[in-house]
Amino acid sequence: MCGIVGYIGKDNAKKVVIDGLAKLEYRGYDSAGIALLDRGNLEIEKIAETEDKKKSKILQLDEMVGDKYKDAKVAIGHTRWATHGAPSVLNAHPHISNDGKVAVVHNGIVENYAELREKLLEKYNIHCKSETDTEVIAQLLSVFCAGGMNPAEAMLEATSMMKGAYAIAAIYEGDETEIVGYRKDAPMIVCHTDEGSFIASDMTAVLKYTKDVYFLEDDEMVICRADSMDIFDRNMNKVQKKAFHVDWSIEAAEKGGYDHFMLKEIHDQPTVLGDTLSRRLTSDGSIKLDGIKLSLEDLNNIDKIYIVACGTAYHAGLIGKHLIEKWAKIPVEVDVASEFRYRDPLVDDRTLFVAVTQSGETLDTLMALREAKSKGARVLSIVNVVGSSIARESDDVFYTWAGPEIAVASTKGYTTQLMCLYLIALHMGLLKGTITDEYAKGIIGELKAVPEKVERLLEKERDIAELAKEIYKKELIFYIGRGLDASVALEGSLKLKEISYINSFAIAAGELKHGTIALMDKDTIVFALATQDELAEKTLSNIVEVAARGAYVVAITKEKNEFFKKESDRVLFIPECFDEVSPLLSIIQLQLIAYFVAKEKGENIDMPRNLAKSVTVE
Ligand code: M6R
């Protein structure tokens, strides 16, 4: 989604903002731009379609601007992920008012922009030039300033007329003293250091300068100056806030010698899984959950759990359901956030709502959380980004501690979400007495062994790279499995399609014969997951069925299941483990398959087409 960076201070503002935009590239964008105040003059440079498709647009923007404006001390910049109007220079941000006085960058959607455009035309004879919703903000701000308001008053007036979600930063010609920012339902962080003040969509843009950032809440406005920064509510009362300290290193947000962030993040997994787990184990090996205050009494007051999330996080939730129902004996429903929020779900004060999210800013998940909260549910969230909106609005927060995840395709985000769900499900089971200490110790022993087993799988990634060469030209790839494997299949399939653009889908193996098996022929590839001891033979029967229709079958099973070799074309083995923890291992193989297939196809792995890392619009 769109990324915003703003800077005012003593450094070269163009450089600070372009560097920040480069850090936000991972969010996904199709055009970019920067507005600067150079000796008071408002200057704008934008880029959309480029000759060189392989080269980063931010790099090209930087080259385009070159040495110009090197004395500018105030700038705002933007990476745009098109919603209203195609990617083009005209539609790229910053947008400037017709009188050339105000420049604005915006993340989110102004839902009533059409009505505001009409108002601008009728009342002030102002024609918007672009197709965007954002331009109305620049026009409104300039109209209000022309009418005598100062920039902060104009911002309050304009936002009082707007519906939707928006994080905004605005600068004004002739005013090198401030940047005005505003947030409603779209992420925005701000910070102040000796170098000046910064506004950004997320903290990766400012990690180079500070690890202490403030999160704006809805309907808060910030005024950034070179030597100070103040946050206000809508009544212009100053808001005192606590800074969030983020212990991410700058290196963690860099490729570290890998070809792609995705591969680096796949390889981060042994370390981050170890961290996520060890931070929650005491010296005697028992579980101690930070951030979760759920007592036995609380659990006894819960009739039902909803796990709500999107995409990969939703797939993690499916595994969570299985674990919580098995170990804590509490009924769990899993829902995608965009459906949950509009279906009037049966939620009350005896419901525990669990949000799973890497970014903590996914708008659908955030809105689902608010819907559940308004109906009285207690909210627990499993989040990676410290201090993100979902973390801040939850009653209990359990951080995944995965470090920054930059590649659009989530890998370590997913496995650390799973690790958290294991710990929460065990904790609930122990509290309720539905599992014994001994049983929990057994599972914890298995979880402790996961990082080393993941290492072993990664050591063999060359085999997967070879397999990718055989299959990357295929047009249809299935993922099948039973029980936990069916949920992992969904995630494997999503990974493949989002970065390789190969048509793929996942189905519970037992469902094949109810329709989908009609698609099987000699051109089909089937990844068959069979890691669950009790279900392995049943999945083997499904393998035989699809193989009989000509499909090329790659089985994924435990090392002991040598017999799969007979019925499958290829077998990828995972180390021996309890059935319950196999998702943490089998998914590694599927992540690698997706990665190497996309690499063979020469796709833009870290920033796949049409996708954004953090989906902050509906
Ligand atoms: O930040 P979140 O975990 O809330 O994001 C949810 C999905 O948008 C995300 O998992 C998406 O499906 C990934 N690109 C999948 O790799």
Side-chain angles (χ1 to χ4, degrees):
M1 294 282 110
C2 305
I4 290 176
V5 185
Y7 170 73
I8 178 166
K10 53 188 183 207
D11 287 353
N12 174 340
K14 178 219 128 187
K15 187 170 176 341
V16 174
V17 168
I18 297 249
D19 284 355
L21 291 178
K23 294 287 180 214
L24 296 185
E25 280 190 295
Y26 81 97
R27 294 168 67 91
Y29 74 112
D30 42 53
S31 51
I34 183 168
L36 312 98
L37 285 171
D38 189 28
R39 284 167 282 239
N41 296 323
L42 192 49
E43 305 285 353
I44 302 215
E45 304 272 353
K46 305 193 213 180
I47 194 162
E49 273 307 299
T50 51
E51 296 271 294
D52 189 344
K53 304 275 176 244
K54 294 234 159 192
K55 197 163 166 187
S56 132
K57 284 198 177 94
I58 297 299
L59 200 60
Q60 297 187 59
L61 175 68
D62 192 21
E63 287 170 1
M64 196 173 102
V65 179
D67 270 349
K68 287 188 273 179
Y69 326 123
K70 53 180 187 307
D71 295 326
K73 303 288 180 231
V74 187
I76 53 175
H78 191 263
T79 48
R80 174 172 188 251
W81 190 83
T83 56
H84 294 59
S88 66
V89 167
L90 184 64
N91 290 332
H93 302 209
H95 284 281
I96 188 160
S97 55
N98 286 0
D99 61 4
K101 295 234 183 314
V102 188
V104 162
V105 289
H106 161 227
N107 172 19
I109 292 179
V110 181
E111 286 167 1
N112 58 336
Y113 78 104
E115 181 197 316
L116 293 173
R117 271 176 179 241
E118 265 175 42
K119 213 170 254 172
L120 281 163
L121 189 59
E122 275 168 23
K123 210 164 165 194
Y124 306 101
N125 196 29
I126 290 178
H127 294 257
C128 288
K129 312 166 287 290
S130 72
E131 299 163 273
T132 66
D133 52 334
T134 301
E135 190 184 336
V136 297
I137 308 174
Q139 307 289 12
L140 287 172
L141 292 178
S142 96
V143 162
F144 297 139
C145 284
M149 291 185 194
N150 66 33
E153 289 164 347
M155 183 65 86
L156 293 176
E157 186 65 20
T159 48
S160 74
M161 300 166 70
M162 288 158 49
K163 293 196 185 119
Y166 35 84
I168 306 167
I171 55 175
Y172 292 79
E173 177 156 85
D175 182 357
E176 290 178 286
T177 62
E178 59 188 31
I179 301 178
V180 182
Y182 194 93
R183 172 208 153 114
K184 183 172 168 284
D185 292 338
M188 179 169 259
I189 61 117
V190 292
C191 53
H192 180 75
T193 71
D194 289 346
E195 280 82 27
S197 299
F198 302 77
I199 293 187
S201 292
D202 72 52
M203 63 187 82
T204 47
V206 299
L207 268 183
K208 191 170 155 191
Y209 305 95
T210 182
K211 290 185 179 169
D212 294 306
V213 298
Y214 298 89
F215 290 85
L216 286 197
E217 298 298 337
D218 282 351
D219 291 314
E220 284 181 349
M221 177 170 67
V222 65
I223 297 186
C224 294
R225 298 185 203 87
D227 57 359
S228 64
M229 187 187 79
D230 289 308
I231 299 170
F232 299 91
D233 65 16
R234 284 199 62 86
N235 299 317
M236 282 307 280
N237 297 315
K238 270 196 194 173
V239 180
Q240 298 304 331
K241 276 185 187 287
K242 215 173 124 246
F244 272 84
H245 181 77
V246 189
D247 63 0
W248 289 358
S249 65
I250 305 175
E251 297 74 43
E254 283 168 358
K255 278 193 207 147
Y258 287 93
D259 287 350
H260 298 96
F261 277 110
M262 181 177 176
L263 189 62
K264 179 202 172 238
E265 287 159 7
I266 290 174
H267 279 260
D268 279 348
Q269 290 176 111
T271 309
V272 294
L273 285 169
D275 286 351
T276 305
L277 179 64
S278 62
R279 286 186 183 211
R280 277 63 184 250
L281 296 180
T282 61
S283 51
D284 69 352
S286 49
I287 300 172
K288 192 173 148 285
L289 300 190
D290 50 324
I292 297 187
K293 303 171 286 287
L294 273 181
S295 62
L296 175 59
E297 199 190 339
D298 295 331
L299 276 187
N300 286 338
N301 285 329
I302 286 167
D303 293 336
K304 185 181 188 181
I305 297 177
Y306 273 104
I307 303 182
V308 178
C310 303
T312 287
Y314 166 74
H315 297 154
L318 294 173
I319 306 267
K321 168 187 167 75
H322 185 103
L323 301 173
I324 294 171
E325 288 189 340
K326 180 166 186 185
W327 293 340
K329 307 288 178 220
I330 306 172
V332 181
E333 222 181 288
V334 192
D335 210 346
V336 287
S338 53
E339 289 298 313
F340 176 91
R341 56 183 289 207
Y342 291 119
R343 73 175 168 88
D344 196 14
L346 297 176
V347 173
D348 59 21
D349 59 359
R350 296 187 63 83
T351 306
L352 176 68
F353 177 95
V354 178
V356 185
T357 170
Q358 187 284 128
S359 62
E361 299 292 352
T362 302
L363 192 73
D364 282 323
T365 311
L366 178 61
M367 293 304 172
L369 175 157
R370 289 183 183 165
E371 168 74 14
K373 239 182 157 176
S374 71
K375 292 184 163 180
R378 176 169 179 155
V379 174
L380 184 161
S381 62
I382 298 172
V383 184
N384 189 36
V385 178
V386 174
S388 53
S389 301
I390 290 176
R392 295 199 310 278
E393 294 192 25
S394 302
D395 300 304
D396 304 88
V397 187
F398 201 49
Y399 284 113
T400 55
W401 300 124
E405 190 179 60
I406 306 294
V408 165
S410 181
T411 53
K412 62 177 181 174
Y414 172 75
T415 47
T416 52
Q417 283 162 358
L418 290 188
M419 188 59 95
C420 291
L421 284 161
Y422 283 102
L423 289 167
I424 291 169
L426 283 175
H427 174 70
M428 288 179 172
L430 285 169
L431 273 183
K432 290 196 74 182
T434 39
I435 54 171
T436 62
D437 281 346
E438 208 182 340
Y439 179 84
K441 288 225 159 83
I443 298 284
I444 289 168
E446 283 283 303
L447 292 174
K448 278 183 172 167
V450 163
E452 184 269 327
K453 289 178 184 174
V454 173
E455 285 285 10
R456 268 158 56 195
L457 288 169
L458 294 176
E459 278 162 17
K460 293 203 186 130
E461 71 181 20
R462 288 317 318 158
D463 297 348
I464 309 257
E466 288 306 312
L467 172 61
K469 289 192 177 122
E470 288 174 41
I471 63 174
Y472 79 99
K473 288 194 178 139
K474 293 288 175 185
E475 287 173 4
L476 184 57
I477 300 188
F478 284 91
Y479 290 74
I480 63 170
R482 289 168 179 262
L484 287 175
D485 287 337
S487 304
V488 178
L490 284 166
E491 175 56 10
S493 170
L494 178 68
K495 265 327 53 104
L496 184 82
K497 71 185 137 204
E498 67 182 327
I499 59 169
S500 76
Y501 319 138
I502 293 177
N503 188 7
S504 154
F505 68 92
I507 183 163
E511 266 293 290
L512 273 172
K513 56 188 167 300
H514 299 289
T516 307
I517 201 165
L519 291 172
M520 299 289 162
D521 65 19
K522 62 175 181 22
D523 292 322
T524 326
I525 304 275
V526 177
F527 284 99
L529 290 116
T531 70
Q532 305 294 294
D533 287 349
E534 281 193 9
L535 301 168
E537 295 216 335
K538 299 212 176 292
T539 307
L540 190 61
S541 306
N542 299 122
I543 289 176
V544 174
E545 284 160 12
V546 295
R549 273 118 190 129
Y552 181 91
V553 179
V554 182
I556 297 172
T557 189
K558 292 181 186 164
E559 278 161 355
K560 67 180 178 196
N561 293 337
E562 281 280 327
F563 56 95
F564 272 78
K565 283 187 174 162
K566 192 158 165 274
E567 309 297 349
S568 318
D569 297 283
R570 288 283 288 262
V571 184
L572 301 175
F573 289 107
I574 61 165
E576 288 306 317
C577 60
F578 284 6
D579 284 2
E580 289 83 349
V581 304
S582 72
L584 286 167
L585 302 175
S586 53
I587 192 58
I588 305 294
Q589 305 281 41
L590 302 187
Q591 292 169 348
L592 289 169
I593 285 160
Y595 174 79
F596 284 112
V597 166
K599 194 167 180 207
E600 275 312 313
K601 291 189 72 186
E603 303 300 355
N604 186 353
I605 294 179
D606 286 335
M607 281 184 271
R609 69 184 183 207
N610 304 340
L611 294 179
K613 180 67 182 164
S614 177
V615 184
T616 51
V617 295
E618 263 199 74

